[in-house]
């Protein structure tokens, strides 16, 4: 343990080669990579285990560990066991980059799982790409994430589709003409999803009543809500993360703004309802998975997760589980834990039955997935509709 700060320093100075020269014998990696050829196969998970978005990391990590445990019980992969090693990003970009470096250099990861947040995957991804260690983001939906390079994959849909689904829902199902936008300007996901919604909503003949913004971590939203109240908005598009969305909903209720909020997958956390109380009743958001509308495979996952952790998973858990399934499936088909072979096998993923759907990677390393729309009622999210790509 006491060697780690020193090692981190070497890495920070670009002296990774020097550092790896002192590695222990049993760590002997495949040429040019951090992964090892014998022993457990390490899946390095970088995740917000603490901080403002702790639910994202925790739910994903629980499910990733459940997947690894079940795969190991069934005999493991390539005669070896999967081992999930998790480093906390605290929701911070610099920590995310450091975590990926360490998961490769110190923990000898064969593959990287993470991050949830697009902004953090955009920090960690370039490192995995440069070191040629395959990375699978379970749930980063911003298109730029897999555009980092050919070693970066995801198991979720992307925001141009998610935004379009919600714009259609707002315009065609809810019959709205004017929607306000309230986005987080410190968050790549939020900015991208605001743009995707706006583009699709305008194309359908809708108009944007007013555009407002905030920054992750803000706690006072009264100025923005007041500005929206003064517009003719019939709903507010809030593509943010759950902590701020909940405060925004409460502020709207307190200031007497009685329009529904509409949002995306970033709302997905039980804490949303804890903070928001009944202020989100009648609001809608899109997600990856609805436990009350699940395939047999998904139902088994929900039952196993609930039995192990005493609470049901959210969509994040479902995607974290699928992230490990995809890596395990690719390892088997590659018949090797060599990063380059694993990368090729990941790119060739086809028809894999997973919890959130059937996964086939396209040329851009994104799978085609359906979007679930949920309605909030009585402090709970309920399945409303499912939209196929
Ligand atoms: N899609 C979000 C992002 O890219 C992360 C997220 C996924 C949050 C699923 C909640 C549930 O930043």
């Amino acid at each position: 343990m006491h060697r780690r700060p020193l090692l981190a320093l070497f890495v920070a100075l670009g002296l990774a080669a020097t550092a790896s020269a002192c590695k222990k014998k049993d760590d002997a990696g495949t040429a040019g990579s951090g992964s090892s050829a014998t022993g457990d196969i390490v899946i390095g998970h970088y995740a917000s285990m603490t901080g403002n978005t702790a639910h994202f990391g925790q739910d994903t990590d629980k499910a990733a560990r459940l997947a690894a445990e079940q795969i190991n019980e069934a005999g493991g992969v390539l005669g070896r066991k999967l081992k999930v090693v998790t480093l906390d990003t605290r929701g911070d970009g610099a920590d995310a980059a450091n975590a990926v470096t360490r998961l490769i250099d110190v923990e000898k990861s064969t593959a990287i799982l993470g991050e949830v947040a697009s902004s953090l995957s955009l920090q960690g991804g370039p490192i995995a790409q440069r070191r040629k260690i395959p990375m699978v983001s379970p749930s980063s939906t911003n298109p730029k994430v897999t555009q980092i390079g050919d070693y970066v994959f995801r198991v979720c849909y992307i925001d141009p589709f998610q935004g379009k689904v919600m714009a259609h829902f707002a315009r065609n199902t809810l019959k709205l003409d004017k929607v306000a936008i309230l986005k987080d300007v410190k968050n790549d996901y939020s900015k991208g999803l605001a743009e995707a919604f706006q583009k699709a909503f305008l194309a359908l003949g809708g108009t944007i009543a007013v555009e407002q913004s905030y920054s992750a971590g803000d706690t006072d939203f009264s100025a923005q809500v007041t500005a929206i109240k003064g517009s003719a908005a019939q709903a507010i598009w809030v593509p943010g993360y759950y902590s701020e969305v909940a405060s925004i909903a409460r502020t709207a209720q307190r200031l007497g703004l009685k329009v529904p909020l509409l949002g995306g997958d970033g709302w997905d956390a039980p804490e949303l309802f804890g903070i928001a109380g009944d202020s989100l009743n009648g609001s809608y958001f899109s997600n990856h998975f609805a436990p009350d509308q699940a395939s047999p495979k998904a139902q088994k996952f929900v039952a196993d997760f609930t039995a192990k952790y005493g609470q049901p998973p959210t969509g994040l858990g479902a995607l974290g589980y699928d992230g490990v399934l995809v890596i395990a499936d690719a390892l088997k088909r590659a018949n090797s834990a060599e990063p380059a072979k694993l990368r090729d096998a990941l790119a060739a993923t086809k028809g894999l039955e997973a919890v959130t759907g059937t996964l086939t990677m396209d040329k851009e390393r994104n799978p085609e997935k359906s979007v679930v729309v949920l309605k909030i009622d009585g402090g709970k999210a309920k399945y409303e509709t499912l939209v196929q790509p």
Side-chain angles (χ1 to χ4, degrees):
M1 274 307 214
H2 64 280
R3 282 179 54 220
R4 284 184 178 169
L6 189 58
L7 189 55
L9 182 67
F10 281 153
V11 172
L13 294 172
L15 298 175
T18 315
S20 65
C22 359
K23 72 187 166 195
K24 287 178 283 163
K25 267 219 187 83
D26 57 347
D27 282 343
T30 48
S33 84
S35 66
S36 56
T38 54
D40 291 345
I41 295 177
V42 175
I43 297 181
H45 183 207
Y46 69 122
S48 53
M49 301 300 288
T50 59
N52 242 354
T53 54
H55 174 77
F56 291 173
Q58 289 176 10
D59 210 55
T60 307
D61 198 60
K62 284 177 184 163
R65 285 169 187 275
L66 174 66
E69 194 180 290
Q70 292 180 343
I71 290 165
N72 290 340
E73 272 165 16
V77 176
L78 310 176
R80 298 164 66 183
K81 295 230 178 297
L82 295 182
K83 183 177 166 194
V84 176
V85 174
T86 308
L87 294 183
D88 186 7
T89 64
R90 302 182 306 150
D92 177 80
D95 281 26
N98 288 335
V100 173
T101 300
R102 215 168 118 166
L103 286 169
I104 295 171
D105 288 335
V106 183
E107 306 297 345
K108 315 292 179 202
S109 301
T110 288
I112 303 289
L113 179 71
E115 233 274 353
V116 166
S118 293
S119 293
L120 302 188
S121 291
L122 287 168
Q123 297 296 316
I127 295 163
Q129 177 67 33
R130 213 176 308 128
R131 302 294 305 278
K132 296 200 178 329
I133 297 292
M135 174 178 122
V136 176
S137 168
S139 39
S140 287
T141 46
N142 188 285
K144 288 183 288 186
V145 170
T146 44
Q147 287 163 8
I148 289 169
D150 60 350
Y151 273 75
V152 182
F153 298 81
R154 77 179 105 217
V155 294
C156 55
Y157 53 64
I158 57 173
D159 286 332
F161 178 53
Q162 175 170 218
K164 195 167 160 188
V165 165
M166 288 309 283
H168 275 261
F169 186 78
R171 186 82 183 121
N172 301 331
T173 307
L174 302 177
K175 311 271 182 230
L176 303 177
D177 301 313
K178 289 196 169 76
V179 172
I181 293 180
L182 179 50
K183 68 180 174 194
D184 178 352
V185 286
K186 279 226 190 106
N187 179 332
D188 292 293
Y189 155 77
S190 192
K191 288 188 287 183
L193 194 50
E195 195 186 310
F197 176 91
Q198 172 161 3
K199 195 173 156 215
F201 194 66
L202 293 177
L204 292 166
T207 52
I208 302 303
V210 59
E211 214 182 318
Q212 291 286 308
S213 62
Y214 64 93
S215 296
D218 284 358
T219 50
D220 181 358
F221 301 96
S222 38
Q224 294 93 326
V225 168
T226 303
I228 294 169
K229 202 180 168 196
S231 79
Q234 299 161 301
I236 317 173
W237 174 241
V238 196
Y241 290 158
Y242 62 94
S243 306
E244 288 90 2
V245 171
S247 307
I248 290 164
R250 288 209 74 113
T251 307
Q253 189 180 46
R254 181 166 54 79
L255 298 180
L257 175 57
K258 290 198 187 80
V259 298
L261 269 56
L262 308 174
D265 55 345
W267 288 26
D268 188 17
E271 288 86 344
L272 177 75
F273 306 109
I275 309 166
D278 61 0
S279 60
L280 277 170
N281 282 349
S283 291
Y284 298 87
F285 69 104
S286 44
N287 208 348
H288 302 268
F289 170 78
D292 50 346
Q293 231 338 285
S295 67
K297 176 134 191 146
Q299 281 171 23
K300 182 176 183 310
F301 163 70
V302 172
D304 292 348
F305 186 103
T306 310
K308 187 169 162 75
Y309 298 113
Q311 88 213 94
T314 60
L316 291 147
L319 290 168
Y321 189 92
D322 286 353
V324 172
L325 284 193
V326 161
I327 293 168
D329 171 71
L331 283 166
K332 284 182 198 156
R333 281 184 293 103
N335 195 25
S336 161
E338 257 177 61
K341 290 185 180 158
L342 175 58
R343 190 224 77 87
D344 290 350
L346 278 167
T349 299
K350 203 176 163 196
L352 177 69
E353 246 205 77
V355 165
T356 57
T358 305
L359 292 176
T360 298
M361 288 294 166
D362 70 13
K363 285 202 175 61
E364 268 78 56
R365 298 165 302 284
N366 303 318
E368 267 207 348
K369 307 278 292 286
S370 44
V371 171
V372 179
V373 181
L374 300 162
K375 179 178 187 171
I376 300 176
D377 213 350
K380 271 213 279 207
K382 291 186 189 124
Y383 173 83
E384 177 80 11
T385 182
L386 181 126
V387 183
Q388 306 281 1

